Structure formats: structure tokens, C-alpha cells
Amino acid sequence: MANTTGKPAIEHSNPLAQTLLEKLDYDQLTNCMRCGFCLPACPTFRETGMEPASPRGRIAMMKAAVDGLMVPDQQFQDQMNLCLGCRACEPACPADVKYGQLIEQTREAIEEHATHSLPIKVVRKTVFKKVFPKRSKLKLLGGTLAFYQKSGLQKVAHSTGAMKLFPKHLAEIESIMPSASSKGVVDRLGTFYPGKGEAIAKVGMFRGCIMDVMFTDTNVNTVELLSAAGFDVYIPDGQVCCGALYAHSGEMNDARQLAAVNIDTFKQLGVDYVVSNAGGCGALLVEYDHLMQDDEKYRESAKWFASRVIDVSALIVEKGRVPKFAQKESSPQAEKIKVTYQDSCHLRNVMKGSSAPRTLMKQVANTDYIEMVESDRCCGSAGIYNIVQPEMAGSILEHKMEHANNTQASYMLTSNPGCLLQMKVGIEKHQPDQPMKAMHIVDFLHDRMIVSE
């Protein structure tokens, strides 16, 4: 329930304005000092130079709508949807305004009054009600994509020009998709994987949804990396989607239902840590306490859960026995391999996990780490933002690739699957001067881990 302190006693004739009044945390709206520190941190403001496209501008519009000073019309909704949700404004804010919570409350209110076309309704119902909440449907999706990729259908689609029937940005994403699978990490490793040597802690791995069918190797590599670092790894089969895409799309009740399942599942195991290898998932998991704050049944359990969420890199660096890594391309005569890193916005801005990935990269022998200019800026992926806002996402990505090219790195690493796909699109589209490969940091480290007998 949103904070009601100081809320205006207004009955709005506009239904959306009334819902905004009920849902928005008014204290957070009034905490914004209009200082402007958020402006240079905001990707959409930097691209447009328009005040309404900034966090300060959006908060001003939220408050104006709640106070009855403006009607939340289509332009209002468009600006709320233009926000990437990267939350780079939060570390920059001296008043500690919880912008991420405000934008999610606003989108929830908008969704309650949205009138979608029939195709959009079908897609949303299929994705949110049928596929993401159910492991069997995710496996079917993975198997279907795998068949498309391996049967020759994908080659036929490309050779016949069939992909030209789709929007250009979707065709670009399709061309760089990793190999899908119907067999996730549990199918390959089981629900328990012991740590090497004396166990440091009992870790519950969050395997994700799309992560487990499109990036299964990364999940497997995560488990093996954690094991090598000394952790007993449990992968409970009863876990479900984290709910992040639901929350970003205004489907907050569904997000809470998914959270309840995950909380029960991991608490029953009694794990010391809940580890994530996807910044986007981890950012919602670590805020389950806020998500469930009005649920008397889950309020305390959500705090228990959220306090244990940690990124895989941070867990290894802060609590584990860091394995040794050797650059596999190295030789006595070889030059150092240049590596750079693109921050996951949610890992950096919400989970505060920007240092651990860099610490691990720098420990790989014969590697020269190059800090990319504005590595902390969003790449334009932002969940499904690059699908629903392709023009803005493409503009942001273009600037990102200029900085990536300047590093002359051979590897572009990141800690989130959406960022990884976006960087793959960027590399394919903009062709850096130095041949560059995008990888998840877990895969890069796993490939170079020295396995002790």
C-alpha cells in the first residue's frame, strides 16, 4: 500500500488520476527536491534533452496528476513507458528518492486502465499467464526454439528473406540468439551440486526462466564455478520466474504471486544465500521485501529472502575461495588479451554489485582489463525495452558501441542476459575495429578456470 502521508483529499473525475492517487507513495513524490542531479544520469534525458523524459520531469508529472493539476493523458503514459527503468537516477539522488518504486506504481496504475488491442492482449496473456509461470511451458518453448535453430528452418528463414517480414530490430535479435534447449540446469546437474573441499555455505541458485532455456550453459557454468569456490549449491525445482518482467509491465499482482512461490521454495531449503547470475532478476529478488510489504503472511519471510540475495560474482569474491584463472589464449609470446565490461544497470544501481565482476576479471592471468567510458550507462536492453522501444534503444546502443570500439577489447563481458544479447546485436551491427566477442562473465571465467584434481 502506498504511503498516504500528506496526500491531497481529492476525488478525481479521471479514473487513471484516481488510481495514481491511491497507488503512488506521496512521501516519495514530495522528497524530490528538483535539484537535477538525476538529469545527466538518465539515458532518455541525455538522448532527448527534454525535461519530461527525465526522472525529475516524470516525478513532477506524477505529482501533478495526483494533485489534480494535470490529466494523465496519452503523452503522460508515453513518457512513463519511455523510461528504461535502469534506475541510474537513484545513486545520483541526494534525497534518496525511490524512483524505481514510483515508476512501477505508475505503470501498475496505467495497466489497470489500459485498453490493449486484441493481438497485444493475446501476447500478454500467453506470456504472463501461460508461459513464464509454468516450467513445462518454458521447456516447450526452449525445445521449439531449439528445433527451429537445429532443423534447418532458421537457415531457410534467412536464405529466403522471410525474416524481412518482421520488424528490423526483431530480426537483429533473432540472428544472434544463443542455442536454446528444453533441458535446463536441473536436467543436466540435478537439484544438488556439492562444493569442492570444506563447504563454506549452503547456496540456493536462482535459475531464472528464459535464462534456463536460452542460457542453460551459463546456468551450468554458474553452478560449477560456485562449487569450485567452495559452496554447496541447491537448485530447487519448485522455483518460478522472479516476476521482474511482470513488475516492469505493471502486472504487480502476478509478480507478488510468483514471489510468494519463490520465497516458500527457498525458505523451505533454509539456504544461507540466494544467488543470481542475472542482474535484472537479482534486482527484483533483492526487493521482495518491498514487493511483499503489504502481505501480512509473507512480509517477514520476504525480508528473510531479500537479505540473502546476492550476485554470483559478489558471493565468490566476498565469501568464497576464489578459483585460479588462466587466459586460454595465452602463450609466452602472446600479448595480453584486452577485456572490457558493460555493467548491468540493475546489478550496479540496485544490487550495488559493480566491483566484484571487475575484481574477478582482473584475476585472469595474461588479461588486460580496459575500463569502458560510461560502462555504467544503460545499453538499451532493459528487459524487453529494445523490443517495445526500438528507436530509443537503438540510439542508446549506438553511443554504447562508440565507447566499446574505443577500448579495442577482444571481449565485452556483462552480467545479465538481456545486456549480453544487446551487446551481441551492437557488435554485429556496428562492427568494432577490433574483432570483439560478447560473453557473460560467468562463461568467460568458467572457460578459464584452472580445475584442481
Side-chain angles (χ1 to χ4, degrees):
M1 185 179 297
N3 194 309
T4 59
T5 304
K7 279 193 176 183
I10 298 175
E11 285 291 332
H12 292 288
S13 59
N14 180 277
L16 175 53
Q18 184 62 33
T19 304
L20 288 167
L21 174 63
E22 295 166 0
K23 291 188 179 296
L24 279 167
D25 187 330
Y26 200 76
D27 280 355
Q28 290 299 324
L29 290 178
T30 56
N31 280 348
C32 178
M33 303 183 299
R34 313 291 189 261
C35 65
F37 278 84
C38 61
L39 300 183
C42 176
T44 53
F45 177 79
R46 286 163 59 98
E47 291 297 321
T48 66
M50 296 172 56
E51 179 73 12
S54 71
R56 181 177 69 178
R58 292 188 180 103
I59 290 174
M61 288 191 290
M62 294 174 195
K63 189 172 184 300
V66 168
D67 290 342
L69 300 177
M70 71 170 289
V71 175
D73 56 12
Q74 189 59 51
Q75 288 186 334
F76 171 93
Q77 297 178 44
D78 289 345
Q79 283 300 344
M80 299 304 152
N81 291 328
L82 188 65
C83 173
L84 291 119
C86 69
R87 296 172 67 170
C89 52
E90 292 186 12
C93 179
D96 193 30
V97 175
K98 307 299 183 186
Y99 175 81
Q101 297 172 13
L102 289 174
I103 195 68
E104 286 187 352
Q105 291 163 357
T106 300
R107 286 174 172 172
E108 181 181 15
I110 290 172
E111 183 55 32
E112 285 190 14
H113 298 278
T115 303
H116 296 301
S117 65
L118 181 59
I120 295 297
K121 285 181 180 179
V122 171
V123 170
R124 288 181 73 95
K125 184 176 181 180
T126 300
V127 171
F128 290 141
K129 303 294 185 183
K130 303 293 185 182
V131 178
F132 277 58
K134 299 178 181 179
R135 182 61 49 179
S136 60
K137 295 297 194 321
L138 283 168
K139 286 187 173 183
L140 178 61
L141 173 63
T144 302
L145 288 172
F147 177 77
Y148 167 73
Q149 291 172 330
K150 297 175 182 178
S151 65
L153 287 176
Q154 186 175 36
K155 290 183 178 179
V156 170
H158 289 179
S159 62
T160 60
M163 292 308 301
K164 293 181 180 179
L165 299 174
F166 295 87
K168 184 179 179 181
H169 63 284
L170 291 182
E172 289 172 350
I173 294 173
E174 185 273 345
S175 68
I176 51 83
M177 291 294 283
S179 298
S181 174
S182 62
K183 297 185 180 297
V185 63
V186 169
D187 298 299
R188 290 174 57 174
L189 298 180
T191 56
F192 173 69
Y193 200 88
K196 304 295 183 184
E198 183 179 354
I200 296 173
K202 182 178 181 179
V203 172
M205 181 190 164
F206 190 80
R207 66 185 174 187
C209 40
I210 293 298
M211 190 76 195
D212 206 39
V213 297
M214 295 301 299
F215 299 90
T216 313
D217 287 344
T218 304
N219 273 356
V220 170
N221 292 342
T222 298
V223 173
E224 293 179 350
L225 194 59
L226 287 167
S227 172
F231 298 102
D232 282 343
V233 185
Y234 292 78
I235 318 162
D237 204 26
Q239 61 181 294
V240 293
C241 173
C242 67
L245 289 180
Y246 292 76
H248 300 333
S249 302
E251 302 282 355
M252 298 303 293
N253 286 334
D254 286 342
R256 294 183 186 101
Q257 291 174 19
L258 294 168
V261 175
N262 287 325
I263 291 167
D264 286 340
T265 300
F266 283 89
K267 192 170 185 183
Q268 186 176 13
L269 272 177
V271 296
D272 300 307
Y273 301 99
V274 177
V275 69
S276 168
N277 59 9
C281 294
L284 187 69
L285 297 175
V286 81
E287 292 190 338
Y288 269 8
D289 54 342
H290 169 73
L291 183 67
M292 308 298 280
Q293 65 181 348
D294 297 322
D295 190 315
E296 292 185 7
K297 179 180 177 181
Y298 282 97
R299 184 183 297 120
E300 294 305 315
S301 294
K303 291 179 181 177
W304 176 93
F305 183 98
S307 68
R308 284 161 171 76
V309 175
I310 189 169
D311 178 68
V312 56
S313 294
L315 182 62
I316 293 172
V317 169
E318 296 171 14
K319 306 292 182 181
R321 294 187 288 269
V322 180
K324 291 183 178 180
F325 305 102
Q327 183 57 259
K328 64 182 182 180
E329 292 94 336
S330 65
S331 68
Q333 296 79 29
E335 295 182 1
K336 286 187 176 182
I337 302 298
K338 291 183 179 180
V339 177
T340 193
Y341 183 70
Q342 165 59 25
D343 281 287
S344 156
C345 293
H346 286 115
L347 177 58
R348 183 183 185 96
N349 300 325
V350 183
M351 299 183 74
K352 314 302 181 187
S354 62
S355 62
R358 289 169 168 82
T359 297
L360 290 175
M361 282 182 277
K362 292 175 183 178
Q363 295 195 26
V364 179
N366 209 44
T367 293
D368 187 12
Y369 174 70
I370 310 295
E371 183 68 37
M372 182 170 59
V373 173
E374 296 190 346
S375 61
D376 58 337
R377 302 292 184 191
C378 186
C379 64
S381 171
I384 58 171
Y385 188 90
N386 54 352
I387 296 175
V388 298
Q389 299 280 356
E391 185 175 346
M392 179 62 73
S395 181
I396 292 171
L397 178 60
E398 185 174 348
H399 297 315
K400 178 64 64 177
M401 291 311 302
E402 291 175 5
H403 296 313
N405 188 32
N406 289 337
T407 67
Q408 294 293 294
S410 298
Y411 289 93
M412 164 72 74
L413 305 184
T414 188
S415 302
N416 187 60
C419 301
L420 177 58
L421 292 179
Q422 184 76 337
M423 297 318 300
K424 283 179 176 286
V425 169
I427 291 170
E428 182 69 22
K429 189 174 181 179
H430 295 281
Q431 295 293 319
D433 298 337
Q434 165 70 31
M436 183 181 292
K437 182 178 182 180
M439 291 184 74
H440 194 292
I441 185 173
V442 163
D443 298 327
F444 180 83
L445 294 173
H446 182 273
D447 286 354
R448 289 153 182 83
M449 183 170 61
I450 299 174
V451 180
S452 58
E453 298 298 332

